[in-house]
Amino acid sequence: MLSKRVRGGNVAYKVDILKAFDTLSWMFLLLVLTCFGFPFLFSWISTILRLVMLSIRINGSLVFFFPCSRGVRQGDPLSPLLLCLTEEVLSRGIYKFVNDKKNLHMDSPQGYLTPSHILYDNDIFVFCRTDNKSLRNLSILFKTYGDFSGQYVNNSKSSFFTMDNFARFVTKFKVFFLVVMVVFLSLI
């Protein structure tokens, strides 16, 4: 589908969330639970989160116990479910952008449906057109989501894929080039 010839082309944007389990805002998590209709879990999960204490080991002994202020425990069976619930907010944001035509859907061959995005753990794949409007709006969406949730894009592990129409093979560019392109296009 990346090879479908359209003006501007199609792009598959692989987004990695930076330390997804460690950076999740508790306030955002509790707000999401309430908005999704889990108020009975609110106090229970709030208590579990606030009971966590961290310490530093110096010369074999634990010192400096201090409370956490964000993140969910890795290895806890509930943590991936909580992470998925919070990422549902981002998923609905992308879906709304596509429906409001703020993010142009990737063109696909006639008769085929293309998803606008796929989420898996802390990786997100977004499929869209490479026009200036779509890329700028995606950038704004990820920044806004990061500001509210504490989960920002990990630029060093994220990348985007597009079809090189001259060489006819899929090329991989680092997100740095995408950011430069978006900034350049916004200056024009």
Side-chain angles (χ1 to χ4, degrees):
M1 305 228 185
L2 289 174
S3 62
K4 173 99 168 108
R5 288 183 183 252
V6 294
R7 183 177 181 161
N10 291 324
V11 66
Y13 184 31
K14 184 227 173 241
V15 180
D16 181 78
I17 301 296
L18 181 68
K19 302 218 179 259
F21 285 95
D22 299 334
T23 59
L24 181 62
S25 165
W26 289 353
M27 194 165 71
F28 181 74
L29 171 62
L30 296 174
L31 180 65
V32 167
L33 287 173
T34 303
C35 290
F36 281 148
F38 297 110
F40 58 91
L41 290 177
F42 184 89
S43 63
W44 179 60
I45 290 179
S46 178
T47 303
I48 290 172
L49 292 173
R50 295 189 200 300
L51 288 177
V52 175
M53 297 291 284
L54 298 176
S55 66
I56 300 172
R57 185 180 299 266
I58 299 177
N59 295 330
S61 59
L62 298 175
V63 293
F64 302 119
F65 285 90
F66 53 92
C68 291
S69 59
R70 59 178 45 241
V72 290
R73 297 181 203 182
Q74 292 187 33
D76 185 335
L78 193 57
S79 293
L81 298 173
L82 295 174
L83 187 68
C84 285
L85 278 174
T86 57
E87 286 186 346
E88 179 63 21
V89 173
L90 179 61
S91 177
R92 290 181 182 195
I94 295 170
Y95 182 75
K96 183 169 176 17
F97 269 33
V98 170
N99 282 346
D100 294 347
K101 305 286 190 239
K102 290 182 179 178
N103 187 12
L104 294 178
H105 201 272
M106 178 188 280
D107 278 347
S108 58
Q110 193 171 6
Y112 290 94
L113 294 176
T114 307
S116 61
H117 61 286
I118 299 171
L119 286 97
Y120 179 77
D121 195 19
N122 65 336
D123 290 324
I124 302 154
F125 287 88
V126 180
F127 307 100
C128 66
R129 301 270 296 278
T130 56
D131 63 295
N132 185 23
K133 177 180 151 185
S134 294
L135 297 177
R136 188 179 313 125
N137 286 335
L138 271 178
S139 177
I140 291 168
L141 177 67
F142 283 122
K143 171 79 169 90
T144 305
Y145 175 75
D147 290 343
F148 283 103
S149 69
Q151 297 185 308
Y152 290 97
V153 173
N154 184 354
N155 289 333
S156 65
K157 289 187 178 178
S158 298
S159 55
F160 71 98
F161 302 88
T162 185
M163 177 55 82
D164 185 324
N165 288 329
F166 300 107
R168 306 301 298 165
F169 63 90
V170 177
T171 55
K172 179 180 176 183
F173 299 94
K174 291 314 251 175
V175 170
F176 173 76
F177 294 114
L178 176 65
V179 172
V180 169
M181 186 172 70
V182 169
V183 170
F184 175 74
L185 290 173
S186 66
L187 296 174
I188 296 177

